[in-house]
């Protein structure tokens, strides 16, 4: 490495939205002449893009920031910047500065696009810069990006959230929901396909409420992106059941780009708990949405999020959730134990559930879902499946990729397969994942 070559290192916590925003931070740093560093020791600037959905994410970030105190002491010119959802919480930036006075730049979710100006100011001044805007502003287009997830590309379509689920901090740190202009999104997707990306994942806290502030909707966006020439897949996350309607389902069913999979978080199977969560639907309406999806796309794979141990959850409430798992037959379920999040209504609710009870319940759910997935996997054996090869797994010494339903397959391939569609004959299952031979 040349002595005058500037290097950056970014640590990302949390969701796909944060991963994509780290790509923007990397793009900004690249535009300033920085190159990526393989580790923190060789970096001239270290950026933490934080998450605050769960307390353990904050604790992990705090620990990793604190561990840099010695490095900062020995490397005076090192710049440490911290941004993301954690810093956007009311009063948190000042608390962070008091705890770790060696941090150079603290910024929030609403001014990420201004990171270039913050860094340029810091390079001229020695003082700590703290800039966390209280309210979201206009959407900024044209922020450079250094993408890291080929052959997939993340594309933001909305920012913020209007739902205010009682357990969730997101609306407080991401602001109110606002949509990008449809043409801006379509043009970005066209550029990505032209650049060779084979999968595009649309991102938003609630993608299927897209366009309510613009006079268009998510179905319109799906239809327009589907008109783009070239072979690529279209995924999207995450959806809210209350905003899933027949127009959207028809648009998805008619698209030759949209994957035959949808992530539709139910969170709980008990109507009482759903009401306490402020989810704005009940189990009956959720079942109706599932039925409508399968009417137009009989083979669609439905995945979900499920939370156990929400305040006051009884054994019967939990059994209602188990019942949903059995009736829907999810292709996958991300299961979580409720984690109290200060600043949310649920954190103040009576009836917090004992950790031992929550742990027992979640293990039961995981076991049940694993059995459902094993049974689904058996149906793949002997079939030839089209897979988009995403990379190479050194431990398994096999290439890997997913099919249109989101199922992971491992196969014996070659380097040139990465980023391409290949046909794989499934020979055996590995639980949720599948193993086969390229044909």
């Amino acid at each position: 490495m040349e002595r005058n070559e500037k290097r950056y290192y970014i640590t990302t916590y949390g969701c796909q939205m944060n991963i994509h925003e780290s790509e923007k931070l990397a793009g900004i740093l690249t535009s300033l002449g920085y190159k990526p560093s393989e580790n923190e020791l060789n970096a001239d600037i270290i950026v933490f893009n934080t998450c605050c959905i769960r307390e353990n994410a904050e604790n992990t970030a705090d620990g990793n920031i604190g561990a840099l105190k010695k490095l900062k002491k020995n490397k005076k010119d090192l710049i440490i910047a911290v941004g993301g959802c954690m810093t956007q919480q009311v009063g948190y930036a000042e608390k962070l500065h008091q705890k770790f006075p060696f941090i150079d730049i603290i910024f929030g979710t609403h001014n990420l696009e201004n990171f270039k100006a913050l860094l340029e100011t810091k390079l001229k001044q020695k003082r700590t810069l703290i800039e966390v805007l209280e309210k979201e502003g206009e959407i900024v287009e044209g922020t450079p990006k250094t993408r890291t997830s080929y052959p997939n590309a993340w594309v933001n379509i909305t920012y913020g959230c209007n739902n205010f689920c009682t357990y969730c901090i997101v609306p407080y740190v991401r602001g109110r929901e606002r949509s990008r202009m449809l043409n801006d999104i379509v043009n970005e997707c066209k550029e990505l396909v032209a650049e060779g990306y084979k999968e595009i994942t649309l991102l938003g806290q609630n993608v299927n409420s897209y366009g309510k502030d613009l006079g268009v909707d998510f179905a319109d966006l799906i239809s327009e992106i589907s008109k783009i020439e070239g072979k690529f897949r279209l995924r999207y996350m995450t959806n809210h059941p209350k905003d899933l309607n027949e127009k959207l389902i028809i648009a998805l069913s008619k698209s030759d780009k949209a994957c035959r999979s949808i992530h539709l978080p139910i969170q709980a199977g008990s109507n009482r708990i759903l009401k306490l969560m402020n989810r704005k639907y009940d189990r009956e309406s959720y079942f109706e949405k599932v039925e409508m999806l399968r009417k137009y796309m009989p083979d669609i794979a439905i995945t979900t999020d499920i939370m156990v141990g929400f305040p006051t959850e009884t054994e019967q409430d939990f059994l209602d959730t188990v019942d949903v798992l059995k009736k829907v037959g999810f292709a996958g379920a991300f299961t979580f134990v409720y984690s109290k999040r200060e600043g949310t209504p649920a954190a103040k609710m009576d009836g917090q559930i004992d950790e031992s009870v929550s742990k027992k319940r979640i293990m039961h759910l995981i076991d049940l879902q694993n059995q459902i997935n094993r049974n689904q996997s058996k149906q793949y054996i002997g079939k030839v499946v089209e897979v988009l090869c995403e990379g190479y797994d050194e431990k398994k010494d096999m290439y890997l990729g997913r099919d249109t339903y989101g199922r992971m397959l491992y196969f014996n391939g070659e380097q040139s397969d990465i980023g391409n569609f290949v046909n794989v004959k499934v020979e055996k299952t590995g639980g949720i994942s599948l193993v086969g031979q390229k044909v």
Side-chain angles (χ1 to χ4, degrees):
M1 182 178 75
E2 297 179 14
R3 297 293 295 176
N4 62 349
E5 195 170 70
K6 298 181 292 182
R7 296 270 175 174
Y8 70 84
Y9 187 85
I10 300 175
T11 297
T12 308
Y13 303 91
C15 65
Q16 291 85 358
M17 188 80 77
N18 272 22
I19 293 170
H20 182 45
E21 290 185 345
S22 287
E23 292 182 334
K24 293 181 180 179
L25 290 166
I28 291 170
L29 289 164
T30 299
S31 73
L32 292 170
Y34 287 83
K35 293 185 177 181
S37 173
E38 293 182 357
N39 55 58
E40 295 173 335
L41 295 176
N42 294 327
D44 298 285
I45 178 168
I46 298 171
V47 184
F48 290 90
N49 188 9
T50 63
C51 170
C52 67
I53 292 296
R54 292 175 181 80
E55 190 174 340
N56 62 345
E58 278 190 19
N59 293 338
T60 300
D62 274 3
N64 289 338
I65 294 167
L68 294 179
K69 182 178 181 179
K70 185 177 180 181
L71 180 62
K72 176 72 172 176
K73 186 176 181 180
N74 296 330
K75 196 174 180 179
K76 301 293 185 183
D77 293 333
L78 173 65
I79 294 175
I80 298 175
V82 182
C85 294
M86 189 172 81
T87 59
Q88 190 64 46
Q89 297 172 95
V90 176
Y92 201 94
E94 291 73 19
K95 188 191 303 183
L96 195 67
H97 177 52
Q98 291 176 1
K99 192 172 183 180
F100 305 115
F102 56 85
I103 295 175
D104 298 283
I105 303 171
I106 299 175
F107 61 102
T109 59
H110 300 327
N111 63 326
L112 179 146
E113 284 79 6
N114 196 42
F115 183 70
K116 179 178 180 180
L118 288 171
L119 178 55
E120 288 176 330
T121 300
K122 177 60 194 177
L123 291 170
K124 297 174 185 175
Q125 303 177 6
K126 291 187 176 181
R127 65 185 178 91
T128 299
L129 297 177
I130 301 176
E131 186 176 295
V132 179
L133 305 182
E134 290 185 11
K135 187 171 175 59
E136 68 278 4
E138 296 295 319
I139 291 174
V140 178
E141 294 289 347
T143 303
K145 306 170 188 70
T146 299
R147 297 187 183 273
T148 57
S149 53
Y150 179 85
N152 174 71
W154 310 106
V155 175
N156 270 123
I157 66 168
T158 68
Y159 297 86
C161 184
N162 292 345
N163 290 320
F164 289 93
C165 300
T166 56
Y167 53 80
C168 186
I169 195 75
V170 167
Y172 305 98
V173 296
R174 288 282 180 181
R176 300 294 73 73
E177 188 175 275
R178 52 218 188 276
S179 305
R180 290 178 65 193
M181 298 299 291
L182 187 145
N183 286 340
D184 288 334
I185 299 168
V186 173
N187 288 335
E188 182 177 351
C189 292
K190 285 180 180 177
E191 291 171 4
L192 290 167
V193 173
E195 290 169 10
Y197 286 90
K198 299 299 197 311
E199 184 172 284
I200 293 170
T201 304
L202 306 178
L203 293 178
Q205 306 302 150
N206 182 12
V207 288
N208 55 334
S209 66
Y210 168 80
K212 288 184 177 180
D213 50 341
L214 301 177
V216 294
D217 60 24
F218 193 44
D220 298 326
L221 180 62
I222 293 293
S223 297
E224 289 303 311
I225 295 175
S226 298
K227 294 176 184 176
I228 298 173
E229 294 184 3
K231 185 176 175 62
F232 67 95
R233 286 179 179 168
L234 183 61
R235 298 190 191 273
Y236 45 94
M237 62 174 59
T238 189
N239 301 270
H240 197 294
K242 73 178 177 63
D243 295 308
L244 183 65
N245 56 43
E246 191 168 23
K247 179 185 176 182
L248 173 56
I249 293 172
I250 291 173
L252 292 169
S253 69
K254 289 183 176 180
S255 171
D256 64 344
K257 305 295 195 302
C259 287
R260 289 303 187 256
S261 61
I262 187 170
H263 190 66
L264 196 65
I266 187 167
Q267 299 298 358
S270 160
N271 285 340
R272 188 182 72 83
I273 295 296
L274 287 171
K275 189 172 183 179
L276 286 173
M277 288 179 169
N278 193 35
R279 290 292 288 172
K280 302 181 178 72
Y281 58 85
D282 55 26
R283 59 184 281 131
E284 289 77 19
S285 63
Y286 187 90
F287 285 141
E288 288 173 4
K289 300 294 174 75
V290 169
E291 186 178 347
M292 195 187 305
L293 280 165
R294 288 176 172 161
K295 171 186 172 183
Y296 289 98
M297 294 175 282
D299 61 338
I300 192 166
I302 303 171
T303 56
T304 197
D305 292 340
I306 295 176
M307 182 184 297
V308 302
F310 190 81
T312 77
E313 182 186 69
T314 65
E315 186 65 19
Q316 184 56 53
D317 291 325
F318 173 68
L319 291 176
D320 287 346
T321 299
V322 171
D323 181 59
V324 171
L325 244 72
K326 291 177 178 178
K327 287 180 176 175
V328 175
F330 292 109
F334 297 91
T335 55
F336 309 91
V337 170
Y338 166 74
S339 174
K340 186 188 289 188
R341 185 70 288 194
E342 295 301 326
T344 64
K348 300 175 183 177
M349 290 181 180
D350 294 330
Q352 300 290 326
I353 304 300
D354 187 86
E355 184 180 349
S356 62
V357 175
S358 296
K359 186 175 180 181
K360 181 181 178 182
R361 288 174 180 171
I362 199 167
M363 292 310 298
H364 181 77
L365 273 187
I366 292 170
D367 289 343
L368 175 58
Q369 185 60 45
N370 284 343
Q371 185 57 53
I372 292 171
N373 288 141
R374 281 192 290 269
N375 292 336
Q376 291 173 346
S377 293
K378 291 175 183 176
Q379 299 173 17
Y380 271 87
I381 295 177
K383 293 183 178 180
V384 175
V385 181
E386 185 180 66
V387 176
L388 174 58
C389 184
E390 299 174 10
Y392 173 72
D393 187 312
E394 291 185 0
K395 289 184 179 179
K396 294 181 184 293
D397 189 25
M398 301 185 85
Y399 288 83
L400 67 141
R402 290 178 297 163
D403 67 0
T404 186
Y405 307 106
R407 188 60 66 95
M408 183 67 71
L409 289 94
Y410 294 88
F411 60 95
N412 295 319
E414 50 196 41
Q415 182 70 26
S416 60
D417 289 331
I418 296 177
N420 289 311
F421 292 96
V422 296
N423 289 324
V424 177
K425 185 174 183 179
V426 180
E427 296 180 336
K428 60 180 181 178
T429 68
I432 296 176
S433 60
L434 307 166
V435 180
Q437 292 282 344
K438 189 172 74 166
V439 293

